[in-house]
Amino acid sequence: MAATKKAVLGPLVGAVDQGTSSTRFLVFNSKTAELLSHHQVEIKQEFPKEGWVEQDPKEILLSVYECIEKTCEKLGQLNIDISNIKAIGVSNQRETTVVWDKLTGEPLYNAVVWLDLRTQSTVESLSKSIPVNNNFVKTKTGLPLSTYFSAVKLRWLLDNVRKVKKAVEEDRALFGTIDSWLIWSLTGGAQGGVHCTDVTNASRTMLFNIHSLEWDKELCEFFEVPMKILPNIRSSSEIYGLMKAGSLEGVPISGCLGDQSAALVGQLCFQDGQAKNTYGTGCFLLCNTGHKCVFSEHGLLTTVAYKLGRDKPVYYALEGSVAIAGAVVRWLRDNLGIIKTSEEIEKLAKEVGTSYGCYFVPAFSGLYAPYWEPSARGIICGLTQFTNKCHIAFAALEAVCFQTREILDAMNRDCGIPLSHLQVDGGMTNNKILMQLQADILYIPVVKPSMPETTALGAAMAAGAAEGVSVWSLEPEDLSAVTMERFEPQINAKESEIRYSTWKKAVMKSMGWATTKSSENGDTGIFSSLPLGFFVVSSMVMLIGARYLSGVP
């Protein structure tokens, strides 16, 4: 019997989407932007001490290989020939910091995740060295000095991990964000792997000058980071190297964007003033500001949006970053146990349709934009005897929406032209209760693409459009029209404002909880013995309340 002929769909492009919570590999048709197949693997997070968040770089790399192989198997089952995959793009969680041995390919320490707070005292110490009348760090990077970015994480590794310090001294160490670690490993690793990063990821390190688009000698000296360990800077769309193993061996890796920049591209926000909000582990609102750097006066970041080719111009963005969005759902699942799967939160919230006056500020890693307040910690307030797990689930979803409202308000003030609608993407947008809440709290329509995988799509577009690949046209007339689902506000403006002002009151109460006297060794004063997020609920209430909320008599 003759073998089944495999369908030819024209050029395909793959995308690695390596996030904080999971890794995925997705394959798109470059002519229609249709998603053909994908595979996903959840990634573990480790919390060695209070405020510390780490991941195993080798687990991340193996998850990428697993996702690629499983997706290729699924394509085979669909009679799709994987030889049609002409390029691979990489999108990644940003700021997360890895240092590895270039001779052995072994990580020298766990990846220090963007959410990690161990560097707070380092940040405080460094901030004293910046002249009040010349904040050269912010001027050159567009970023506030914060635990969020890679430079202080790298500084901590150099100061505290003997293996890292020794490898630097012996010229064996390489530094990178997750994109660099993956591209180096996938293109050969210790046998000739390409050590590079793109401008979007570089712009999140605090070592990169967003005006010159180069590593900055003054910044590297300020953070005492040796420039020899830094990756080479490349555009977001060019051939970096070829896959050296697995089913896609020989396929070029030709796109690289930090996840939020990838989502901006995937949402086709190519015009000055277009914005999108991504709901993942955190929540990130980016507004394209074109070829000019716009510096915020309301707590937002200035960052590189993309540079789609070596000879193409750079585009910038204003960004509002929320640390905890989807992570609050994972916390309700893993820490409190009031849901068994992340999807259950929608069902619980739907049962009550209100938080019944309960407000949840999930400041587990301090507050990011627009406050930049590291002393904040998570609080649940407005509790009564009537409050149950459904109300808390609803309040958790509202918290994501309120945080987005704060960022949108700041962005509207900076840009001067309020957004008429909000384009959204990310895993949490599958939750219809969340999307309706977001429209109600913003009091503008929320518009969601029918295919929400815009982060992976953006990475695929960059890879497919690269010189030497050229299977994906980024000309406006060639871009596929995207079907959208629209959520209109369903409450009156006065109610929206009352709920928002009550939320702001709760935010004020969340501040000032953590001390930083010994944050580098994990001690946060009187809170050091409590698990993440449990800062304002007494141990007695938690013992009784967790049982009550879970329905245990």
Side-chain angles (χ1 to χ4, degrees):
M1 187 175 170
T4 307
K5 190 164 188 276
K6 298 203 171 182
V8 177
L9 290 167
L12 311 180
V13 180
V16 173
D17 181 5
Q18 205 300 298
T20 318
S21 304
S22 68
T23 298
R24 293 179 296 172
F25 185 69
L26 306 91
V27 174
F28 298 90
N29 182 328
S30 67
K31 299 304 179 193
T32 64
E34 178 192 1
L35 174 60
L36 301 175
S37 189
H38 77 283
H39 189 76
Q40 179 168 340
V41 172
E42 193 165 301
I43 298 293
K44 290 192 207 75
Q45 293 179 42
E46 298 174 25
F47 308 100
K49 295 181 183 179
E50 171 55 41
W52 294 30
V53 189
E54 298 179 0
Q55 290 179 320
D56 179 354
K58 290 177 81 172
E59 181 193 347
I60 289 172
L61 178 60
L62 289 172
S63 74
V64 170
Y65 279 120
E66 181 182 347
C67 287
I68 290 172
E69 296 307 314
K70 296 282 188 189
T71 303
C72 288
E73 285 174 24
K74 291 177 182 178
L75 289 170
Q77 291 160 11
L78 294 169
N79 290 333
I80 296 171
D81 192 340
I82 62 170
S83 69
N84 284 321
I85 298 175
K86 303 302 181 187
I88 295 168
V90 174
S91 165
N92 58 286
Q93 54 171 306
R94 303 169 303 167
E95 299 95 19
T96 297
T97 299
V98 188
V99 181
W100 66 95
D101 188 318
K102 67 183 179 185
L103 302 182
T104 65
E106 290 293 312
L108 295 165
Y109 191 78
N110 271 346
V112 182
V113 176
W114 58 277
L115 284 164
D116 190 280
L117 286 174
R118 75 187 67 186
T119 55
Q120 184 53 38
S121 60
T122 305
V123 167
E124 290 174 357
S125 173
L126 286 168
S127 66
K128 292 171 186 168
S129 307
I130 299 174
V132 177
N133 59 351
N134 176 25
N135 189 341
F136 66 94
V137 175
K138 188 164 188 182
T139 302
K140 290 186 174 195
T141 67
L143 310 173
L145 192 57
S146 166
T147 59
Y148 184 14
F149 306 107
S150 310
V152 288
K153 301 178 194 302
L154 178 53
R155 182 69 256 146
W156 187 91
L157 290 167
L158 291 165
D159 288 340
N160 293 278
V161 181
R162 175 68 191 139
K163 280 169 72 176
V164 170
K165 188 180 180 191
K166 192 164 186 288
V168 170
E169 289 167 353
E170 295 173 1
D171 200 22
R172 292 183 288 109
L174 296 178
F175 152 79
T177 41
I178 293 295
D179 58 306
S180 298
W181 163 244
L182 291 179
I183 292 172
W184 184 84
S185 301
L186 296 172
T187 57
Q191 281 71 53
V194 178
H195 188 216
C196 68
T197 191
D198 90 301
V199 289
T200 69
N201 281 294
S203 75
R204 313 298 292 190
T205 61
M206 293 200 99
L207 301 170
F208 178 76
N209 188 314
I210 61 174
H211 310 286
S212 67
L213 304 184
E214 295 175 337
W215 298 121
D216 190 281
K217 189 167 183 289
E218 184 183 16
L219 290 170
C220 289
E221 286 172 355
F222 177 71
F223 290 105
E224 297 181 76
V225 166
M227 295 183 80
K228 65 182 180 180
I229 70 174
L230 303 179
N232 293 316
I233 305 284
R234 308 283 280 272
S235 77
S236 309
S237 177
E238 60 179 272
I239 294 174
Y240 312 113
L242 307 181
M243 287 284 290
K244 285 297 196 293
S247 297
L248 299 182
E249 186 175 354
V251 175
I253 299 174
S254 53
C256 179
L257 291 150
D259 50 10
Q260 303 315 317
S261 288
L264 195 73
V265 171
Q267 284 266 33
L268 310 183
C269 293
F270 292 126
Q271 303 301 314
D272 191 340
Q274 288 185 301
K276 66 88 210 171
N277 196 35
T278 299
Y279 300 75
T281 298
C283 209
F284 303 90
L285 180 56
L286 266 71
C287 181
N288 189 330
T289 62
H291 302 309
K292 62 184 182 294
C293 287
V294 175
F295 284 87
S296 172
E297 294 179 8
H298 301 97
L300 303 181
L301 311 177
T302 304
T303 197
V304 174
Y306 52 82
K307 186 179 189 293
L308 295 174
R310 274 181 291 197
D311 301 321
K312 297 288 172 69
V314 64
Y315 281 75
Y316 295 96
L318 270 179
E319 175 176 339
S321 313
V322 169
I324 304 293
V328 74
V329 180
R330 190 165 174 166
W331 183 81
L332 290 175
R333 185 193 72 184
D334 297 345
N335 291 37
L336 285 194
I338 68 173
I339 51 175
K340 289 189 172 65
T341 66
S342 295
E343 291 71 29
E344 276 180 49
I345 193 168
E346 185 173 8
K347 181 170 170 280
L348 285 187
K350 193 173 183 180
E351 278 183 38
V352 286
T354 175
S355 69
Y356 199 75
C358 171
Y359 286 81
F360 191 162
V361 183
F364 300 159
S365 297
L367 289 166
Y368 282 16
Y371 300 101
W372 299 105
E373 182 47 72
S375 73
R377 288 295 179 271
I379 70 168
I380 304 173
C381 54
L383 298 174
T384 70
Q385 283 183 307
F386 183 71
T387 309
N388 63 31
K389 63 182 179 182
C390 297
H391 299 118
I392 289 177
F394 194 95
L397 295 182
E398 272 195 319
V400 175
C401 301
F402 286 130
Q403 290 178 105
T404 298
R405 166 79 187 265
E406 291 190 299
I407 290 173
L408 193 69
D409 283 358
M411 199 161 278
N412 286 340
R413 288 196 295 271
D414 276 326
C415 295
I417 306 168
L419 290 180
S420 59
H421 65 277
L422 182 65
Q423 290 177 232
V424 300
D425 58 75
M428 288 188 85
T429 61
N430 292 324
N431 185 323
K432 290 186 183 299
I433 298 274
L434 178 73
M435 293 294 93
Q436 186 57 55
L437 273 172
Q438 189 66 87
D440 290 345
I441 288 164
L442 296 180
Y443 213 67
I444 58 172
V446 166
V447 181
K448 173 196 164 189
S450 55
M451 198 286 293
E453 304 296 350
T454 50
T455 301
L457 178 61
M461 289 166 66
E467 186 182 347
V469 178
S470 302
V471 297
W472 204 309
S473 171
L474 297 183
E475 296 303 319
E477 64 272 17
D478 296 327
L479 292 169
S480 301
V482 181
T483 55
M484 298 284 190
E485 186 175 3
R486 193 175 174 95
F487 296 83
E488 299 282 349
Q490 291 182 355
I491 64 173
N492 64 53
K494 187 178 178 185
E495 185 187 342
S496 180
E497 287 306 315
I498 289 169
R499 282 158 66 176
Y500 182 49
S501 62
T502 311
W503 155 263
K504 299 276 274 188
K505 194 160 73 171
V507 170
M508 291 301 112
K509 292 182 185 300
S510 77
M511 294 187 189
W513 283 99
T515 62
T516 55
K517 61 174 184 176
S518 306
S519 61
E520 301 225 0
N521 61 19
D523 177 12
T524 49
I526 62 169
F527 307 112
S528 60
S529 62
L530 295 176
L532 187 64
F534 282 56
F535 286 62
V536 297
V537 188
S538 72
S539 56
M540 185 174 175
V541 170
M542 283 309 298
L543 284 169
I544 298 168
R547 290 170 65 86
Y548 169 64
L549 292 171
S550 303
V552 179

